[in-house]
Each structure stands twice: as C-alpha cells, then as structure tokens.
Amino acid sequence: MTVLRNRCRGLAVLGALAVAGLGSAGAASVDFGVAYRSGGNTLLESAWARVGVDDLSVLGGAVRLGASTRAVDAAYTRTLAAAPLGAVTSTSSVAVTYAGGVRLASRATATLGPVALDVGGSYFTASAGAVDPLAVWSESAVDQRDRGWTADATARYRVNRTLVAVVGGEFGAQPQGLAGVELRRDLTRTLPPAEDDDPAAPPETEVSGTVTWRVGARAGRDVLGVTAGVSYGTPQGLNLRLDGVLGPDSAGVSASAGAADVLGEGSTLRVYGAYEPWRTVGTPLRAGVEVTALVGSGTLGLTVSGGRDLSGQAGVAARATYRLELPGREP
C-alpha cells in the first residue's frame, strides 16, 4: 500500500511538473512519455509514464526535473570554458524510486589541448530498469544489478590531425581496461567547375564523408581479446559503425546505423544491435530502433528495443515520447 500511495503521489507530481514547465520563465521544453515492457507481473510493473521539464536555467547551468510512475528524477548540467585550452561539461543526476531505491550518477567531459577526457561514476540501490524500463536494452550496456557502484574513465590523445591514441578502463563488478588507436581519413569529391572558373586552376573539392578505423585490446574479468572497428559518417547525417572483440574465450560484436531526414526534415532514424556474451552484469544481447520526427510544435520519439538478459530470458519494450519546445521568455 505504501508503494501504491507513493505512485499516486508521483502521478500528482507529473501534472505539477507539466504546469511548472509551461509557466516557468527558464523552461525550454516539456517532455511526456509512455512505455510498456514485457515480463511484468502486474500492469504497474509493465507500464510506465513520465513527464518532465528540461533546460531550466539555474545557477549558470541547466536543470532537468521529472516524475514517472516508478521514480522521481533530477539532473544538473553545466559547462565551464577553460580558454584557450578547452572546456569542461559535467552532469550529475539522482533518481529515487517509490520503493525507496536511489540511483546517483555523475559524468564529466573535458578537452585540454590535444587531450579529451571522459570520466563517470554511479552508486545505486535500485536497478536501472526500476527507473527506466528500456535501460536493460540500451545501446551501451548498463549494469543491471540491484545494488552496487560503477566507474569508468577514457582519455583520448590527438597525436595529429588523423591519429588518436585511446586508453581507458571500467571499474566495479567487471573491471577491465582498454587501449588502442584510431585513424581517421576524410573522403573528398571534386566539385563541377563553375562557368567563371579559371581552366588552369586546380578543381575545388569538398569532404563527402569520413572513415575511422579502430584497433586495440581489451582485458579484464572474463574478457581478453583484440578489438577492431570501423565507422563512416557524412555531412548529411549518415553514420555507420561496426565494432568487435575477439579472444581465446571472448567474442562479441556491436553495430549501429543512423540517418537524418529520412522521415522528413528534422527527423532521425537509428538502428543498433549488440551481442556481447562476455558481459557478466550488462545485458549480453541488445537491439533497438529509435525514430524521432517533428510533429506539430514538438518532436515525437518512438523506440522499440529488446534482447536477452543475463538469465537467458527474452523480452521487448516500446516507448513513445513527445517533446514540446517552449518559446523563450524574458524574466
């Protein structure tokens, strides 16, 4: 009964947040979402609904507030310029479930000259699925334990314009390290000459796409192998990626494809899949399709994802969201 009462209070918060977002001078958008996931014993366990406000200007940063039928959540993001070296962006978040579980997370990215850093960590007493029903099958593997902590760090050093050295590690229930290099190559095409071009001048070119090759190694608990991958992207918004790991007892592959304006101007389409049986706390088989499109004054999002969890049980989930952009208002 206590959990049910808390859920009812959460539903009341949903409406309050919507009203607060519509009337707040700093709110940039209001988000609405509903979802359904297989495997629940009751409707409340399978269904999910959320409303939130995003980009509230507070203390020089942006605040996100939300409430769902499972939890209430908040996040704060701020970027600090470190000219002439670069910038630092940090995001801290908290989610509290109606059953009493908590998820705390923080991530910071920084550019310092030729070095780019990405550092994150989390502590939780509730599973990721207890807050977001689709977290089990997200593109990047998420720790599915009910209690614990995780941390990760990655450093990228730009040796020159085309070569980047990468080193990093993950810590927690399945610690591991990685190291490798990335080689980038821009593909160009020759532009047709204009009528007033000088015939003796060299033809003009433009970048038609970028290919990035990756090679390295990953080693840690229950994983040891070489890694390799390739990506291709174009200025028009087409992105393709394929990565794999292969070792004596470790093998896995992940891939994704994304494109812009496929379903109309401003729309996006993304498909992903991953088979990583070496993972011991993250879902080993994940796949999904994500679509966004401009509808009315906002953006409609649809996601369908599924896979097979650590116990070998298959599942699927679907989510629909609508993001309403609000006009800027003077304080």
PDB file of all heavy atoms in Angstrom, residues 213-228:
ATOM      1  N   TRP A 213      39.069   4.092 -38.607  1.00  0.00           N
ATOM      2  CA  TRP A 213      39.422   2.721 -38.252  1.00  0.00           C
ATOM      3  C   TRP A 213      39.904   2.690 -36.812  1.00  0.00           C
ATOM      4  O   TRP A 213      40.573   3.611 -36.338  1.00  0.00           O
ATOM      5  CB  TRP A 213      40.537   2.196 -39.155  1.00  0.00           C
ATOM      6  CG  TRP A 213      40.131   1.964 -40.574  1.00  0.00           C
ATOM      7  CD1 TRP A 213      39.541   0.851 -41.110  1.00  0.00           C
ATOM      8  CD2 TRP A 213      40.289   2.869 -41.669  1.00  0.00           C
ATOM      9  NE1 TRP A 213      39.326   1.003 -42.453  1.00  0.00           N
ATOM     10  CE2 TRP A 213      39.769   2.237 -42.827  1.00  0.00           C
ATOM     11  CE3 TRP A 213      40.816   4.160 -41.791  1.00  0.00           C
ATOM     12  CZ2 TRP A 213      39.779   2.836 -44.071  1.00  0.00           C
ATOM     13  CZ3 TRP A 213      40.820   4.767 -43.025  1.00  0.00           C
ATOM     14  CH2 TRP A 213      40.303   4.112 -44.147  1.00  0.00           C
ATOM     15  N   ARG A 214      39.567   1.618 -36.094  1.00  0.00           N
ATOM     16  CA  ARG A 214      39.976   1.444 -34.707  1.00  0.00           C
ATOM     17  C   ARG A 214      40.603   0.063 -34.520  1.00  0.00           C
ATOM     18  O   ARG A 214      40.090  -0.933 -35.052  1.00  0.00           O
ATOM     19  CB  ARG A 214      38.769   1.571 -33.759  1.00  0.00           C
ATOM     20  CG  ARG A 214      38.147   2.945 -33.733  1.00  0.00           C
ATOM     21  CD  ARG A 214      36.910   2.985 -32.841  1.00  0.00           C
ATOM     22  NE  ARG A 214      35.804   2.231 -33.437  1.00  0.00           N
ATOM     23  CZ  ARG A 214      34.976   2.716 -34.342  1.00  0.00           C
ATOM     24  NH1 ARG A 214      35.131   3.943 -34.790  1.00  0.00           N
ATOM     25  NH2 ARG A 214      33.997   1.980 -34.837  1.00  0.00           N
ATOM     26  N   VAL A 215      41.669  -0.011 -33.732  1.00  0.00           N
ATOM     27  CA  VAL A 215      42.278  -1.285 -33.383  1.00  0.00           C
ATOM     28  C   VAL A 215      42.883  -1.148 -31.994  1.00  0.00           C
ATOM     29  O   VAL A 215      43.362  -0.075 -31.616  1.00  0.00           O
ATOM     30  CB  VAL A 215      43.359  -1.698 -34.420  1.00  0.00           C
ATOM     31  CG1 VAL A 215      44.521  -0.703 -34.409  1.00  0.00           C
ATOM     32  CG2 VAL A 215      43.870  -3.107 -34.151  1.00  0.00           C
ATOM     33  N   GLY A 216      42.799  -2.218 -31.197  1.00  0.00           N
ATOM     34  CA  GLY A 216      43.322  -2.152 -29.841  1.00  0.00           C
ATOM     35  C   GLY A 216      43.152  -3.469 -29.119  1.00  0.00           C
ATOM     36  O   GLY A 216      43.104  -4.544 -29.737  1.00  0.00           O
ATOM     37  N   ALA A 217      43.034  -3.403 -27.790  1.00  0.00           N
ATOM     38  CA  ALA A 217      42.888  -4.596 -26.967  1.00  0.00           C
ATOM     39  C   ALA A 217      42.042  -4.267 -25.749  1.00  0.00           C
ATOM     40  O   ALA A 217      42.020  -3.128 -25.276  1.00  0.00           O
ATOM     41  CB  ALA A 217      44.255  -5.111 -26.528  1.00  0.00           C
ATOM     42  N   ARG A 218      41.321  -5.273 -25.262  1.00  0.00           N
ATOM     43  CA  ARG A 218      40.508  -5.163 -24.054  1.00  0.00           C
ATOM     44  C   ARG A 218      40.844  -6.336 -23.153  1.00  0.00           C
ATOM     45  O   ARG A 218      40.868  -7.491 -23.598  1.00  0.00           O
ATOM     46  CB  ARG A 218      39.017  -5.170 -24.394  1.00  0.00           C
ATOM     47  CG  ARG A 218      38.083  -5.011 -23.190  1.00  0.00           C
ATOM     48  CD  ARG A 218      36.627  -5.091 -23.620  1.00  0.00           C
ATOM     49  NE  ARG A 218      36.234  -3.955 -24.429  1.00  0.00           N
ATOM     50  CZ  ARG A 218      35.702  -2.838 -23.945  1.00  0.00           C
ATOM     51  NH1 ARG A 218      35.494  -2.721 -22.633  1.00  0.00           N
ATOM     52  NH2 ARG A 218      35.356  -1.856 -24.750  1.00  0.00           N
ATOM     53  N   ALA A 219      41.095  -6.055 -21.876  1.00  0.00           N
ATOM     54  CA  ALA A 219      41.453  -7.113 -20.939  1.00  0.00           C
ATOM     55  C   ALA A 219      40.845  -6.820 -19.581  1.00  0.00           C
ATOM     56  O   ALA A 219      40.815  -5.664 -19.131  1.00  0.00           O
ATOM     57  CB  ALA A 219      42.973  -7.244 -20.810  1.00  0.00           C
ATOM     58  N   GLY A 220      40.342  -7.873 -18.915  1.00  0.00           N
ATOM     59  CA  GLY A 220      39.753  -7.709 -17.599  1.00  0.00           C
ATOM     60  C   GLY A 220      39.078  -8.985 -17.159  1.00  0.00           C
ATOM     61  O   GLY A 220      39.368 -10.081 -17.684  1.00  0.00           O
ATOM     62  N   ARG A 221      38.184  -8.856 -16.196  1.00  0.00           N
ATOM     63  CA  ARG A 221      37.481 -10.025 -15.663  1.00  0.00           C
ATOM     64  C   ARG A 221      36.565 -10.617 -16.733  1.00  0.00           C
ATOM     65  O   ARG A 221      35.683  -9.959 -17.249  1.00  0.00           O
ATOM     66  CB  ARG A 221      36.672  -9.629 -14.429  1.00  0.00           C
ATOM     67  CG  ARG A 221      35.930 -10.777 -13.753  1.00  0.00           C
ATOM     68  CD  ARG A 221      35.289 -10.331 -12.466  1.00  0.00           C
ATOM     69  NE  ARG A 221      36.292  -9.895 -11.508  1.00  0.00           N
ATOM     70  CZ  ARG A 221      36.011  -9.324 -10.331  1.00  0.00           C
ATOM     71  NH1 ARG A 221      34.745  -9.097  -9.998  1.00  0.00           N
ATOM     72  NH2 ARG A 221      36.982  -8.944  -9.518  1.00  0.00           N
ATOM     73  N   ASP A 222      36.814 -11.867 -17.083  1.00  0.00           N
ATOM     74  CA  ASP A 222      36.007 -12.620 -18.057  1.00  0.00           C
ATOM     75  C   ASP A 222      36.067 -12.062 -19.467  1.00  0.00           C
ATOM     76  O   ASP A 222      35.217 -12.388 -20.303  1.00  0.00           O
ATOM     77  CB  ASP A 222      34.539 -12.704 -17.608  1.00  0.00           C
ATOM     78  CG  ASP A 222      34.381 -13.450 -16.297  1.00  0.00           C
ATOM     79  OD1 ASP A 222      35.017 -14.505 -16.146  1.00  0.00           O
ATOM     80  OD2 ASP A 222      33.646 -12.958 -15.421  1.00  0.00           O
ATOM     81  N   VAL A 223      37.067 -11.236 -19.766  1.00  0.00           N
ATOM     82  CA  VAL A 223      37.223 -10.749 -21.133  1.00  0.00           C
ATOM     83  C   VAL A 223      38.699 -10.521 -21.430  1.00  0.00           C
ATOM     84  O   VAL A 223      39.430  -9.963 -20.617  1.00  0.00           O
ATOM     85  CB  VAL A 223      36.425  -9.446 -21.363  1.00  0.00           C
ATOM     86  CG1 VAL A 223      36.872  -8.354 -20.412  1.00  0.00           C
ATOM     87  CG2 VAL A 223      36.546  -9.001 -22.808  1.00  0.00           C
ATOM     88  N   LEU A 224      39.150 -10.996 -22.588  1.00  0.00           N
ATOM     89  CA  LEU A 224      40.523 -10.792 -23.047  1.00  0.00           C
ATOM     90  C   LEU A 224      40.531 -10.974 -24.555  1.00  0.00           C
ATOM     91  O   LEU A 224      40.185 -12.042 -25.058  1.00  0.00           O
ATOM     92  CB  LEU A 224      41.485 -11.784 -22.394  1.00  0.00           C
ATOM     93  CG  LEU A 224      42.933 -11.750 -22.908  1.00  0.00           C
ATOM     94  CD1 LEU A 224      43.573 -10.399 -22.603  1.00  0.00           C
ATOM     95  CD2 LEU A 224      43.745 -12.890 -22.301  1.00  0.00           C
ATOM     96  N   GLY A 225      40.898  -9.920 -25.274  1.00  0.00           N
ATOM     97  CA  GLY A 225      40.914 -10.054 -26.718  1.00  0.00           C
ATOM     98  C   GLY A 225      41.337  -8.780 -27.411  1.00  0.00           C
ATOM     99  O   GLY A 225      41.482  -7.718 -26.796  1.00  0.00           O
ATOM    100  N   VAL A 226      41.550  -8.904 -28.711  1.00  0.00           N
ATOM    101  CA  VAL A 226      41.845  -7.746 -29.546  1.00  0.00           C
ATOM    102  C   VAL A 226      40.529  -7.125 -29.998  1.00  0.00           C
ATOM    103  O   VAL A 226      39.507  -7.811 -30.111  1.00  0.00           O
ATOM    104  CB  VAL A 226      42.699  -8.143 -30.763  1.00  0.00           C
ATOM    105  CG1 VAL A 226      44.047  -8.679 -30.310  1.00  0.00           C
ATOM    106  CG2 VAL A 226      41.982  -9.166 -31.623  1.00  0.00           C
ATOM    107  N   THR A 227      40.553  -5.838 -30.216  1.00  0.00           N
ATOM    108  CA  THR A 227      39.364  -5.125 -30.661  1.00  0.00           C
ATOM    109  C   THR A 227      39.643  -4.460 -32.003  1.00  0.00           C
ATOM    110  O   THR A 227      40.776  -4.084 -32.304  1.00  0.00           O
ATOM    111  CB  THR A 227      38.941  -4.052 -29.651  1.00  0.00           C
ATOM    112  OG1 THR A 227      40.014  -3.094 -29.496  1.00  0.00           O
ATOM    113  CG2 THR A 227      38.634  -4.673 -28.295  1.00  0.00           C
ATOM    114  N   ALA A 228      38.595  -4.332 -32.801  1.00  0.00           N
ATOM    115  CA  ALA A 228      38.719  -3.663 -34.089  1.00  0.00           C
ATOM    116  C   ALA A 228      37.365  -3.087 -34.460  1.00  0.00           C
ATOM    117  O   ALA A 228      36.321  -3.614 -34.056  1.00  0.00           O
ATOM    118  CB  ALA A 228      39.201  -4.632 -35.172  1.00  0.00           C
TER     119      ALA A 228
END
